[in-house]
Amino acid sequence: MAFKSIVELSAKETLSDYVTAIAWSPVGNLLAVASGAGEICLLKDFVGLSLCPPTGQSVDALAFSWDGKWLASGGQDGNITLWQMEPDVPKIADTLECGSTWVDRLDWNPTCNYLAFNRGKTVQIWDADRTEEVTSLVGVASPQDIRWSPDGKRLAIAVKSNIHIWNAHNWNERLYQWELTSPASAIAWSSDAAYLASAIHDLSVGVLDWSKAQHLQREPLNEDELPAILCGFPGKVRKLAWADLPPSADLPPILAVATRELVTMWMQSPKGWESWVLDLHGGKVLDVAFQPQSGLLASVSEDGWIILWQAALEATQILEGAEEGFSCLAWHPTGRYLAAGGQRGELLVWSTCTDV
C-alpha cells in the first residue's frame, strides 16, 4: 500500500497522565490540552506553557470561545474555570461553582461568548463578557451532550432518551423535543446546521433533517418526515463527525461514525443513506475529525495509529507516536495543523506539508 505525506511532525510535549481533552484557539497557533491528572497546558507557536499544575482531579472538558478571548475548562472538581487569554500570560477571570456535579460537558456559542455547561439539575448559559447568567434550563439534568448549532441559533441537549432543542433567542420554551428509541451518548450538528446526528445506545445513529423538525410537534404524515435511523453498527458508537466541505464541492451530507475498530461512513443519496467502511485500524477507534473545508478524515485508535483518509475513502498516511494508543484529536480551524493526545500523556502536533 503506497502512502504519501499529508502532514509532518512539528511539536511534541508530554503531560503526566492520559490526555483527556484538546482544543484549538480560533486565533493564531494556540492549543490547549488537559489531562486526567488535572493539569492544563498551552502550546503557543509550538512552545509549551503550563496553565495549571496537576491537581489529582481530572479535567474533562476544554474549549475556546469563538473569538479566542476565553478558555473554559471543567472536570472532576465540579467547577468551571474561565481564563482570559491575555497577550502574554492568560489569567483566571472567573470560577463558576457547580456543586458536586462533575462537569464533563461544555460548549461555546459560535457567534457570541455564551458558554453552556451542565450544572446540577440544569444546563446553565453564562455570558463571559458580562460575567452574568443568561438563563438556566431546567429538566435537563445530567446531559450526555450539549451542542450549539454552528449558526448559534439553537442549542441541542441530549438527556436520557430525548434531544431537547432550544431557541437561543427565546429561552422561555423548548423549540422541539426529539424522542429516541434509547438513550443518546453524543450529538453533532453538520457544519451548515441543516442536520443533527445522535449516537444512540441501541447501536444506531439518528439523523434529524432540521427542515423537517417542525414535524416532531405533530403526528408525522408519512415516513419521510421522520428522522433517519442508521443501523448495523457492530458495537458502541463512540464519536460522530460531519464533513466540513466547501460549497463548491456540491456534495450531499457525509457523516463519519467511530465504532469498535471501524469508521463507518454515511452519505445521503436519493435512495436514502448509503454507507461504506474504513477498516484499517487494529484497536478501538476513539475519535474522528474532518479537516475543515476538506474531505480529509483523521481517525485515532488504541492501536497507536492516526490514519488520514483521503476523501474519506482510502488511507493516505499513517501517523504514530503514542506508545499505548491515542485518545483524542483536533484539527486547527484553518486546517493547517492536526493535534492528538495519547493515553500516556503524549501531545503531538503535525503541520500540513507545503507541497500538498
Side-chain angles (χ1 to χ4, degrees):
M1 186 180 296
F3 295 109
K4 64 178 181 178
S5 294
I6 301 291
V7 298
E8 55 190 7
L9 188 64
S10 296
K12 183 174 182 179
E13 298 283 338
T14 303
L15 282 70
S16 64
D17 203 348
Y18 186 106
V19 175
T20 53
I22 52 179
W24 284 103
S25 170
V27 179
N29 179 5
L30 181 62
L31 176 71
V33 56
S35 81
E39 65 197 301
I40 301 175
C41 299
L42 294 178
L43 204 64
K44 185 176 183 180
D45 295 324
F46 306 127
V47 177
L49 169 68
S50 176
L51 201 58
C52 177
T55 63
Q57 293 182 301
S58 175
V59 172
D60 301 283
L62 198 62
F64 282 97
S65 62
W66 73 281
D67 56 6
K69 292 181 179 179
W70 299 94
L71 173 66
S73 69
Q76 189 177 359
D77 67 358
N79 296 324
I80 292 284
T81 302
L82 288 171
W83 277 272
Q84 200 163 12
M85 305 308 292
E86 300 289 352
D88 297 322
V89 180
K91 65 177 183 180
I92 295 179
D94 219 336
T95 300
L96 311 177
E97 297 181 359
C98 301
S100 60
T101 303
W102 191 318
V103 181
D104 58 356
R105 293 289 184 271
L106 57 81
D107 198 32
W108 288 98
N109 186 297
T111 62
C112 65
N113 289 331
Y114 283 9
L115 179 68
F117 58 93
N118 59 300
R119 187 176 193 178
K121 296 183 178 180
T122 69
V123 168
Q124 185 170 95
I125 314 298
W126 182 263
D127 186 335
D129 291 335
R130 295 177 177 270
T131 64
E132 64 183 21
E133 177 185 311
V134 177
T135 189
S136 287
L137 306 176
V138 297
V140 286
S142 302
Q144 285 89 10
D145 208 355
I146 302 171
R147 297 291 172 186
W148 293 96
S149 60
D151 57 12
K153 295 179 180 179
R154 299 177 291 275
L155 180 66
I157 304 172
V159 182
K160 297 182 179 178
S161 298
N162 292 278
I163 308 293
H164 303 271
I165 304 172
W166 302 78
N167 182 349
H169 300 294
N170 180 10
W171 297 108
N172 293 326
E173 60 180 353
R174 282 175 296 226
L175 271 176
Y176 302 107
Q177 182 173 323
W178 177 14
E179 296 184 7
L180 305 174
T181 54
S182 186
S185 58
I187 51 179
W189 289 95
S190 60
S191 59
D192 59 2
Y195 295 88
L196 178 64
S198 173
I200 309 174
H201 281 188
D202 63 5
L203 310 186
S204 68
V205 171
V207 179
L208 172 65
D209 181 340
W210 185 250
S211 67
K212 301 176 182 178
Q214 65 269 22
H215 301 312
L216 296 177
Q217 298 295 78
R218 62 167 172 77
E219 191 70 24
L221 299 178
N222 56 67
E223 191 172 320
D224 291 341
E225 294 182 353
L226 295 171
I229 300 296
L230 315 181
C231 302
F233 299 99
K236 177 183 178 181
V237 173
R238 295 183 176 276
K239 288 287 183 175
L240 304 167
W242 289 96
D244 178 17
L245 300 170
S248 59
D250 193 27
L251 289 172
I254 300 173
L255 177 67
V257 180
T259 174
R260 287 183 57 173
E261 298 83 21
L262 309 173
V263 180
T264 304
M265 302 302 307
W266 295 80
M267 177 186 286
Q268 192 179 41
S269 75
K271 297 180 180 180
W273 288 84
E274 300 181 352
S275 66
W276 65 97
V277 174
L278 309 178
D279 61 354
L280 199 56
H281 279 294
K284 290 179 181 177
V285 179
L286 300 182
D287 207 352
V288 287
F290 280 94
Q291 183 184 37
Q293 295 293 289
S294 163
L296 182 67
L297 176 71
S299 59
V300 299
S301 84
E302 293 180 333
D303 61 11
W305 280 9
I306 297 176
I307 302 180
L308 302 183
W309 306 87
Q310 191 66 52
L313 289 171
E314 60 179 358
T316 188
Q317 187 175 4
I318 295 176
L319 309 174
E320 298 179 286
E323 185 176 339
E324 294 185 5
F326 287 98
S327 56
C328 55
L329 84 166
W331 287 98
H332 188 278
T334 64
R336 293 176 57 194
Y337 309 110
L338 173 65
Q343 300 194 26
R344 293 191 64 179
E346 303 96 337
L347 173 67
L348 297 98
V349 181
W350 294 267
S351 302
T352 54
C353 298
T354 55
D355 58 346
V356 174

